Amino acid sequence: MRFAVKFLGCKVSQADAMLARRALLDAGHVEVAEVDADVHVINTCCITSAAEAKSRQSVRRSLKLGPRAVYVSGCAVNLGARQFAEIDARVKPFVGVAEEVAEAIRRASGPGACVDVEHGALRHPGTSLSLESSPGGEHPGALRALESSPGGEHPGTLRVAAPPREARTRGFLKVQDGCDCHCAYCIIPTVRGPARSRPASGVLREARRRIANGQPELVMTGISVGDYRDPERGLELGELMREVARIQGVERVRLSSVEVIHVKDSLLEALAGEPKVCPHLHVPLQSGDDNVLEAMGRHYSAAEYLRAIDALRAAVPHVNVTTDVIVGFPTEDVAAFERTLELIDAAAISRVHAFPYSPRPGTAAEALGDRVSPQEKKRRSGELRGRSEVRSRHHRAAKLGGPERVLVDKVADTQVSGYTADYTRCYLPAGAAAAGELVPVLCEELHADGIRCRPAGRTL
């Protein structure tokens, strides 16, 4: 069978899509371009209603290419498989946690697979799949991957299969899934379930394989990755990152995103004491106003966020902090938005990702309505982006004239580019380095969203 895989949403969605990819490759199937694929596999997203709509649009685009089937999985499918199954008879929803879904997709695509005419879904003899309907709008023909644990395994344990060989220079290690925070605007705990952690032994094995596959930078990722607690030895996230950093061949260990309540001493110690742990943290703020934070169901105040960032900078003075902000939450007035701008300046945030609020059905915040006009959300988003651009420029300008090390991840005819340890994009002349090389550079001038550099010891 010829297949193609794509994903929508976050790095965890990407990691989940790669599990399905790996399962199909292991079964002897062949990965091809979308236009040539017999089966498309799409891992979906539902972080917002817009993301859910984009997931369905992606399915429709795939159908236009004429595959015999489109397998869909991920958060949006877990939330409402029926909506996907009703798009077209060729769409086959797979409902459940990613590890079991990947195995279900492999079985459905393997020798002896047959069509269940009654339910309109692919089945394979011996699969642990339930075709019964469930709460939450699941389609009766959706393939549900049943959660199963090896005998005696810790109930909060997450198991992940080995990854395939990759051409990427940066590998994503999924170490955790699920979330216990239950923010008022967020549907993810409903579709991902409670927080659970992957055993450190499995993470370390996968890290070694990824290094052997040519991925010198490893990114620790999860839905609430700061919740990580090794079910075998009790390691916290920072301790796990230090162990990964000690693996021979690892050049960098990076963290995808972490909640401020999870910026613990062990994480600060890893950032301060292990040179291979990257000095960049993406710490979602969402709002700088205490009343808005309380309505959002966040678990900190603006002052607590700022104290945590101050402690982070005290431990790691050169750390680069980026963040997310939700603009136009129902209880956010102009004064609350101004307090968010003030906190971003006080915390010296270098880049802000702004997300206009939209009510999410099934969340607690849905009852608050949508009180801020689209025009006002647009205005606030624009002001936030402008503030972000200024702060980003200041962050990059401070590097000019100094040395950096860039891990090259993009090579083109006109230039090559990559990231510094603190996640600043740098551009080098064409031919300066190959993908995967870690290059000493001198930062010379601001350029686009990054810095134009030259290899150290070389003139342009």
Side-chain angles (χ1 to χ4, degrees), residues 420-434:
T420 63
D422 75 350
Y423 211 63
T424 301
R425 171 66 77 176
C426 291
Y427 298 88
L428 295 134

Side-chain angles (χ1 to χ4, degrees), residues 287-305:
S287 175
D289 179 82
D290 285 345
N291 291 330
V292 175
L293 288 170
E294 183 177 3
M296 286 179 167
R298 304 291 285 173
H299 302 284
Y300 53 86
S301 67
E304 287 168 339
Y305 183 96

Side-chain angles (χ1 to χ4, degrees), residues 209-360:
R209 286 193 293 265
R210 287 190 174 276
I211 293 301
N213 287 348
Q215 296 179 323
E217 179 175 306
L218 300 177
V219 183
M220 318 293 277
T221 190
I223 295 298
S224 182
V225 68
D227 254 332
Y228 182 83
R229 173 72 72 164
D230 175 24
E232 296 175 338
R233 291 186 285 150
L235 296 179
E236 292 185 346
L237 179 63
E239 296 167 316
L240 176 65
M241 294 178 74
R242 297 186 83 159
E243 292 207 4
V244 171
R246 296 185 188 115
I247 295 173
Q248 185 173 1
V250 170
E251 294 288 351
R252 291 177 177 172
V253 180
R254 191 179 295 283
L255 190 56
S256 59
S257 178
V258 64
E259 294 290 346
V260 71
I261 60 173
H262 296 143
V263 180
K264 303 174 183 176
D265 288 346
S266 61
L267 180 56
L268 298 183
E269 290 165 5
L271 287 159
E274 174 50 65
K276 292 182 179 180
V277 173
C278 293
H280 168 242
L281 283 188
H282 187 81
V283 189
L285 170 62
Q286 310 306 8
S287 175
D289 179 82
D290 285 345
N291 291 330
V292 175
L293 288 170
E294 183 177 3
M296 286 179 167
R298 304 291 285 173
H299 302 284
Y300 53 86
S301 67
E304 287 168 339
Y305 183 96
L306 190 56
R307 281 198 296 271
I309 299 304
D310 287 345
L312 170 61
R313 293 195 186 282
V316 192
H318 58 294
V319 70
N320 179 24
V321 181
T322 56
T323 197
D324 295 333
V325 168
I326 295 174
V327 175
F329 192 76
T331 60
E332 180 189 75
D333 57 17
V334 172
F337 177 68
E338 291 296 330
R339 281 188 279 275
T340 298
L341 295 177
E342 291 168 4
L343 196 150
I344 287 167
D345 286 342
I349 303 294
S350 71
R351 186 179 292 273
V352 182
H353 299 278
F355 299 92
Y357 175 76
S358 60
R360 191 70 185 82

